[in-house]
Amino acid sequence: MTNSLFDLSGKVALVTGTSRGLGQYLARALASAGADIAMTSRDKQSLSAFADEIHAAGRQTFSVDLDVRDENSIRSAVASIEGHFGHIDILVNNAGCNIRKPALDVTWEDWNTVLDTNLRGSFFVAQAVASGMIRRGYGRIINIGSVTSVAGYAGLGPYGASRGGTRQLTMSLADDWGKHGVTVNCLAPGWFRTRQNEVMYKNEAWVEYLTDRIPVKRPGRPDDLDGAIVFLASESSRYVTGQTLLVDGGISTGATKATL
């Protein structure tokens, strides 16, 4: 095996939702492997510091406004990126949101906000990017899912529905586009500390409970995703498509402490 299997030099990666959190870590990992980065936010001014960081690491960047709940915004952003770089080789569908509520308290608007962002947005961004990939006969699409793609948790009804849908969408698009040289996979993190769930990690009892349920006995660190994202974006995964790669410390095994 050679390093060329994981080399992204000359590739352009579009990572949505890069103003904070895991989006920045994923983009940073791809840049470290050699990719130039197209980054998005609903306010591209919020990306300036991160763009400077990627530039300092020797990679090219391009920042665009993108609201994944707006079809015109999606098409305009993709067209701008293709106009700037000439092509998009890798898409990381990372932009997402969550609203945590007991199921009886979820409103119609809560549901629409989460599903429109996480599921509908991912589909239409993938659709917009895939047309160029198909013309060139090459592409890597990575939809960001979650351990909730395969497991249910109380208080996460809309979010779990969106992430379960992301897994199913991934398989459908893989079947659609595989013959064109485009692979589509789902990267599904487990419990990682982000700005979205920061409040939960302030509860020491909850963190202890969570850690006990994870076979490797700790929540995820953002750099735990580096190898997985580069693998799915690179030549090393050329025969992998339609799959969900769980990076969750084993929590999806359903294992609990044994009582003998």
Side-chain angles (χ1 to χ4, degrees):
M1 184 178 295
T2 65
N3 288 337
S4 63
L5 284 173
F6 300 92
D7 184 10
L8 299 179
S9 298
K11 303 297 186 185
V12 174
L14 164 56
V15 184
T16 66
T18 37
S19 62
R20 62 181 185 179
L22 292 182
Q24 291 193 351
Y25 281 94
L26 298 173
R28 192 177 288 117
L30 296 174
S32 294
D36 294 323
I37 306 296
M39 53 185 69
T40 80
S41 172
R42 282 180 291 177
D43 176 13
K44 70 179 182 180
Q45 299 305 315
S46 66
L47 301 170
S48 59
F50 186 56
D52 289 343
E53 175 191 333
I54 299 299
H55 270 298
R59 304 265 53 90
Q60 298 299 308
T61 67
F62 184 63
S63 301
V64 295
D65 294 315
L66 172 61
D67 182 349
V68 299
R69 293 178 293 178
D70 184 316
E71 184 178 9
N72 290 330
S73 178
I74 291 170
R75 299 199 177 279
S76 175
V78 171
S80 293
I81 294 164
E82 290 181 332
H84 180 81
F85 284 114
H87 56 99
I88 299 170
D89 304 291
I90 301 156
L91 166 64
V92 181
N93 255 326
N94 170 73
C97 71
N98 190 9
I99 297 174
R100 291 181 178 80
K101 287 184 178 179
L104 289 177
D105 296 336
V106 172
T107 68
W108 187 277
E109 191 56 39
D110 291 336
W111 177 274
N112 287 343
T113 296
V114 175
L115 271 292
D116 289 354
T117 303
N118 297 355
L119 186 55
R120 188 178 70 178
S122 290
F123 173 79
F124 282 101
V125 173
Q127 182 191 68
V129 172
S131 59
M133 292 178 168
I134 288 168
R135 285 195 303 272
R136 293 186 300 276
Y138 178 89
R140 298 283 186 268
I141 295 175
I142 305 159
N143 296 320
I144 301 304
S146 159
V147 67
T148 61
S149 295
V150 299
Y153 293 89
L156 295 176
Y159 186 78
S162 73
R163 294 314 190 191
T166 297
R167 183 184 182 212
Q168 295 297 122
L169 175 64
T170 295
M171 291 187 282
S172 179
L173 296 182
D175 196 26
D176 251 320
W177 298 336
K179 60 182 175 288
H180 301 293
V182 178
T183 65
V184 188
N185 290 289
C186 176
L187 175 58
W191 289 96
F192 284 71
R193 187 171 185 167
T194 66
R195 191 179 301 179
Q196 278 189 8
N197 62 26
E198 181 77 26
V199 65
M200 300 175 71
Y201 284 83
K202 294 178 180 178
N203 183 334
E204 293 183 6
W206 180 83
V207 173
E208 183 178 349
Y209 165 76
L210 173 69
T211 300
D212 192 50
R213 295 180 63 199
I214 299 173
V216 302
K217 300 305 176 190
R218 65 170 176 83
R221 296 188 295 261
D223 60 0
D224 290 327
L225 297 169
D226 289 1
I229 192 69
V230 172
F231 166 68
L232 292 175
S234 67
E235 187 64 13
S236 56
S237 64
R238 60 182 175 264
Y239 202 60
V240 178
T241 195
Q243 303 305 305
T244 295
L245 175 56
L246 285 146
V247 183
D248 67 351
I251 196 170
S252 55
T253 64
T256 58
K257 184 182 293 184
T259 301
L260 300 178

